[in-house]
Amino acid sequence: MKYDTVVIGAGLGGLMAALSAAERGKKTLVVSRGMGIITIFSGTIDILGYYPVQDTAPLSSPREGVERLISEDPKHPYARVGVEALEKGMSFFQEAVAREGVTYVGNLDRNFLVPTAVGTIKPTAFLSKRMEAGDVREESDVLIAGFRGLKDFYPAYMAHNISTSTVPGVSIPHFRGRVLDVDIGADGSGMSALTLARKMEEDAMIQAIGRALFCQVRDGERIALPAVLGIRGGDEVFRRLEDMAGTRIFETPTLPPSVTGYRLYRALESRVRASGIRLLIGYDVHDPEIRGGRVAAVNISMGKKTKRIEGDTFVLATGGLVGRGIITDRKSTLEPIFGLPVSGPSRRNEWFAERFFDPSGHPINKIGLEVDDRLRPTGDGKKHVYENLFACGAELAGYAALREKSGGGVTIASGFKAGRLAGEL
Amino acid sequence: MELKTEVLVIGGGVTGAGVARDLVMRGIDTILVEKGDLAAGATGRCHGLLHSGGRYVIKDQESAVECIKENVILKRIASRTIEDTGGLFVSLPGDDESYADRFLAACDAAGIQTQVLSLSQALRLEPNLSREAKTVVKVPDGAVDPFALTIDNARDAARRGCRILRHTKLVGIDVEKGRVTGAEVHDRVTDERHHIRTKRIINATGAWAGHVAGLAGANVPLTLSKGSLLIFNRRINNTVINRLRPPGDGDIIVPNEPTSIIGTTSITVSDPENFTVTKKEVDLMMKEAGLVLPPSAEARVIRAYAGIRPLVAAQDADSGRDISRSFSILDHGKQDGVRGFYSIVGGKLTTYRLMAEKMVDVVAEEMGVHIPCSTASEPLFGSEDGEHYRLEDRFTSIETVEEGEEQEGKVEEIVCECELVTKDEVLKVINEMKTSNLNDIRQRTRVGMGSCQGGFCTYRLLGILHELDMVPQYEANEILTSFMEERWRGIRPVLWGDQLREEQLVEGIYLGIFALDKIQPLGKKASKSKK
């Protein structure tokens, strides 16, 4: 089989790369072992929350933060991607998911400050429209409503702890927690957020919850709910509940598996299919064939069946340590498909800081592939290893996504740019 | 508050709990104070090995004899806490084969039953054993749950009238005219101070014994020896596996609940609280485990931890391995001129009962109490039926409950997926103990002790406590971040491969979804007292 562009990995970065390559008219394939880690995480797209990373006050303008970061930290992926690709990539992302009924709001010039399920406050630049009303700078008080029998969401915990959270210059409104007296059909084993989100598509459930909310909510209060308002894109469940409750509602992401992440993945996946991109999930990618400084083909296997895939360009979007784009053992670190040089500490006793919550992060957080300005992995000589191999997302070296709150931004921007460059070659 | 007792026991490890039980069984009024949780020191940080004595039989016959006698007694009186796994001593190519002959002869002399197994017999018993094994000897080792053993002793003592003050720290000892007259203690939960009037104090604080003795102006010469251990995420062996060679590092692997634990090392340290498990220790134990149980090389290690052995100091030994594991009783009246002050140090988990008996004999004698010790025959509360713990029973009971209740349309909510702990089990502990302390719940249910090491269920525990309006002394998020730091100490040395990957996921939850990285850790803020 032969494609113009072969994207390895079906996470946020891989799907963005595929969409932007396909937009250039390229015949594109996405091949992946699994469906990426979007479904695990909260579905917010962080651009830059803190800079310098040790700062305790969130950045008000991600754009200004990124510009400063690019001038001060040339090894950061944002320095390779550039603000322009970040801005275009985010618009491209918003349009892509909007066409599948999932609305993301936000821009580079401000961070939302949204409450988390443990009552901390997190800066993030783009989020599902269903989370927008949660910004703690809004003055109105908040009713946090949970459900008896739903696992992993505790209104009292969230409310109690948010009263102790502080953000410089922000006066946080009052939050109170209530467990709604609604029968969600839990069987005592603890219902997962995904199951409840599916049930929320039923009319009777919307009616029951809408009524319960209307009874509980006080004048002037907003309502926080766990992120369970429907499993599909489209805002019907959300809008009907807001109408019935008579006030604004926002969703709060819960422990994995995450409904917001799931909706985002489904939207991107269906956009990818609608764009004529072939999507192969469940395949191991191995044994690349190299000819004249270029990747000519890769082999893919499911069980004992192996196929050879030729391509003009390849995008490596296999993720970082969680996605297994980088693997480790007791003695070493490795990029397992191409054996590309991995940047970062190789010796195990240098991988971690002494404290789990070390504000600068663990050295291993920054492990990954170094790339040139065209996002091609470089060897020790700073020259690209293969002319037609690009990399994006968590696989890139040089950033501490979780502490900077930059994961989504780096992944979308680098995925978008890698796909465009691959599509232009 | 002013309290009064005949004997005050300091330290809630297995020794202190055993001493307290023995005292009240002889009709002596007793208070036990423990600065943290029960079994929080060396007791809870050991292998959980019920020695047959084989380990010591060549170098230290006296310890070996103590071990086998106590082994038989504990299997009877503390049956609930013991899994009667049996043990193997295994020699591998390169080991001195003459050691095996001396070992068998010495076991005979000490009264330790042995059985030499053929390789095929050994492999039937222990399928993961190395095919290279040369001599395999079966001995009556066992696995004991040190938390349960300590808790059962304390609970039994409490039922007989002993007052147990947990989270209460000894801050001062009153000595007047060369005699103990009382002690000052600090309740760390309520932030209150109490005075305890007493004429006798027993110092059973293990690695802290020197410090506690210092409060009375007495001296306990100790060598502190760090022993590090690794926990595998699955049960690789069914019996205790020892190497048949002179005792060394990383040569015992004990099955423990659904895991296996390898240890130990022996490194002299100076501070009983600040120590870490090093990369060198981890690599050494991985290598040793791989030699005797080859599948361990592919198993995931979920945690590294270390306990501090309080060894009675000998002037010339520097590694700790050569110092006798036998125990000492110090009468500081004779030794330092502080009458009524005693220390019990050294020893090991297997001989805790004997240590308590000897200690209480001394105190009872001084008090003129002539009731003999009965702890060797009287079972602990909960172990009356003499039935040993069986891992399979635990999982069968979960299944039975589920099957039984399914018929009524009800199933159990699992709080900890790794260890299959249900919400009802957690609620039971919270209600019975009236506790909001995560360690209390963990020790009694095993919640958070599985492969994610509390990554998911700690949040759930705090959520449940909030639902019950049992918000602990500190804000939940401070507790959560402190817990994560404590957990980190144990998992940081063993992160590679899949375990590293899982840990990155946990980091993603705590920093990405929960954004807990900007919370001040516990202790950085001024402590708030709940009055």
Side-chain angles (χ1 to χ4, degrees), chain A residues 37 40-42 44 46 50 52-57 116-123 149-158 160-165 179 187-190 253-256 258 321-324 328-331 347-349 351-359 361-362 364-365 402-405, chain B residues 276 278-280 282-284 286-287 409-415 417 423 455-456 458-464 466-467 469 471 475-478 480-482 484-485 487-489 491-498 500-501 503-521 524-525 528:
Chain A
I37 61 164
I40 296 173
F41 292 126
S42 63
T44 61
D46 307 340
Y50 296 93
V53 65
Q54 298 86 353
D55 243 11
T56 49
T116 70
V118 293
T120 57
I121 289 158
K122 183 183 156 170
L150 171 68
K151 209 167 178 174
D152 295 340
F153 187 76
Y154 301 96
Y157 183 172
M158 181 174 167
H160 186 122
N161 284 281
I162 212 158
S163 67
T164 68
S165 289
V179 174
D187 60 2
S189 68
T254 56
L255 277 190
S258 143
L321 292 162
V322 181
R324 283 183 285 197
T328 62
D329 62 23
R330 214 142 49 82
K331 299 188 176 80
R347 288 155 50 109
R348 199 172 95 230
N349 52 354
W351 288 351
F352 303 104
E354 221 163 276
R355 284 183 47 216
F356 179 75
F357 288 107
D358 187 297
H362 305 292
I364 203 166
N365 297 146
L402 289 169
R403 283 168 178 79
E404 297 167 359
K405 316 292 176 211
Chain B
T276 51
T278 64
K279 174 171 182 278
K280 205 171 142 194
V282 172
D283 287 342
L284 180 138
M286 287 303 290
K287 180 175 149 257
K410 183 175 178 282
V411 284
E412 298 259 335
E413 177 169 346
I414 303 284
V415 173
E417 282 95 354
K423 189 172 178 179
F456 285 74
T458 308
Y459 161 66
R460 290 175 187 151
L461 287 184
L462 289 165
I464 290 168
H466 272 281
E467 279 182 344
D469 208 17
V471 187
E475 303 297 343
N477 284 340
E478 295 172 38
L480 196 51
T481 52
S482 301
M484 291 305 286
E485 291 297 352
R487 169 184 181 275
W488 182 242
R489 281 180 62 185
I491 58 176
R492 180 176 175 243
V494 292
L495 292 179
W496 63 80
D498 285 340
L500 169 58
R501 192 169 159 245
E503 187 52 23
Q504 292 283 307
L505 191 66
V506 170
E507 210 183 324
I509 293 170
Y510 281 80
L511 280 86
I513 299 177
F514 288 166
L516 278 164
D517 46 328
K518 303 292 176 185
I519 295 281
Q520 285 284 307
K524 287 274 172 82
K525 286 186 195 172
K528 285 164 283 181

Side-chain angles (χ1 to χ4, degrees), chain B residues 36-47:
Chain B
D37 292 308
L38 295 177
T43 298
R45 294 167 166 269
C46 69
H47 250 131

Side-chain angles (χ1 to χ4, degrees), chain B residues 116-192:
Chain B
V116 178
L117 303 183
S118 69
L119 183 61
S120 63
Q121 283 174 317
L123 287 172
R124 261 201 301 279
L125 203 59
E126 204 58 273
N128 285 335
L129 193 67
S130 167
R131 265 68 181 159
E132 310 269 291
K134 309 278 270 192
T135 306
V136 182
V137 181
K138 189 163 187 283
V139 296
D141 285 341
V144 54
D145 178 341
F147 298 111
L149 183 62
T150 310
I151 289 165
D152 283 4
N153 267 281
R155 202 159 53 169
D156 194 294
R159 283 164 54 87
R160 297 168 193 268
C162 175
R163 284 164 286 174
I164 296 179
L165 311 178
R166 294 181 312 129
H167 304 287
T168 300
K169 187 178 178 175
L170 176 75
V171 290
I173 295 175
D174 308 331
V175 180
E176 282 168 33
K177 295 180 188 148
R179 166 110 221 166
V180 166
T181 57
E184 195 74 22
V185 298
H186 175 225
D187 183 326
R188 300 162 82 173
V189 176
T190 61
D191 200 21
E192 287 168 319

Side-chain angles (χ1 to χ4, degrees), chain A residues 190-202:
Chain A
M191 188 182 276
S192 79
L194 276 174
T195 309
L196 182 55
R198 280 194 190 95
K199 287 189 168 227
M200 288 294 290
E201 308 276 352
E202 296 164 13

